[in-house]
Amino acid sequence: MIIKKLIISMITLCILVILGFLRWNTLDSSGDISYKYDRWAGQKWVEFYPPLAASSNSMEFPLIYRDGINQNDIEKYLGKQALSGELVNKWIERTKLTDGYIGLLLLNILVVIYIFFKIFILRVKKIG
């Protein structure tokens, strides 16, 4: 019975890890802008690396009602989307999906550790 639980937990863990790797699809990259697609949320995102920035940090934001963006239009676009509230809604959706995934992954890891610990205790009791 305990081995069956371990097998199910390990299969679930493998599925969760695979789903994590398959979440993002890199679409294309042109200069300082790269596009990626969040398969879980069905949302296209932009990573923008400012060319004259003092740090290597990127700016990331969702593309709403568009397929692409020009580097010169980023400020105007972000201002418009921020005022409408859609930008925040997309970030909240992404955060909820990420937090839910991490929660499931950690819970599954804890279950696997617990089952291994339980198997170890049972083996020690049989020996002793």
Side-chain angles (χ1 to χ4, degrees):
M1 180 69 169
I2 199 162
I3 299 298
K4 188 176 180 181
K5 288 180 184 178
L6 179 63
I7 291 170
I8 291 171
S9 295
M10 292 299 287
I11 290 171
T12 307
L13 183 62
C14 289
I15 290 170
L16 285 171
V17 169
I18 290 168
L19 286 174
F21 279 113
L22 295 177
R23 179 176 184 178
W24 294 101
N25 181 22
T26 304
L27 299 174
D28 61 339
S29 162
S30 57
D32 299 326
I33 295 177
S34 70
Y35 299 98
K36 60 185 183 177
Y37 185 74
D38 183 353
R39 289 185 180 114
W40 296 356
Q43 179 65 50
K44 192 172 186 181
W45 288 77
V46 175
E47 277 186 340
F48 173 63
Y49 299 91
L52 300 175
S55 68
S56 61
N57 293 338
S58 67
M59 181 189 313
E60 198 170 45
F61 54 89
L63 270 183
I64 304 168
Y65 310 121
R66 303 180 101 160
D67 287 333
I69 193 162
N70 187 334
Q71 185 174 339
N72 300 329
D73 298 334
I74 290 176
E75 252 182 76
K76 183 179 168 185
Y77 169 78
L78 290 176
K80 179 183 174 187
Q81 294 305 327
L83 287 175
S84 73
E86 295 223 32
L87 201 65
V88 174
N89 290 338
K90 296 298 180 184
W91 271 104
I92 289 172
E93 181 181 1
R94 176 181 170 174
T95 303
K96 282 181 182 178
L97 288 169
T98 302
D99 291 348
Y101 171 75
I102 291 172
L104 282 173
L105 191 62
L106 289 176
L107 180 65
N108 198 287
I109 290 170
L110 289 175
V111 167
V112 169
I113 291 170
Y114 172 75
I115 292 172
F116 273 123
F117 184 71
K118 203 169 180 181
I119 289 172
F120 178 74
I121 296 296
L122 288 174
R123 301 251 179 200
V124 169
K125 283 184 180 179
K126 280 185 181 178
I127 292 173

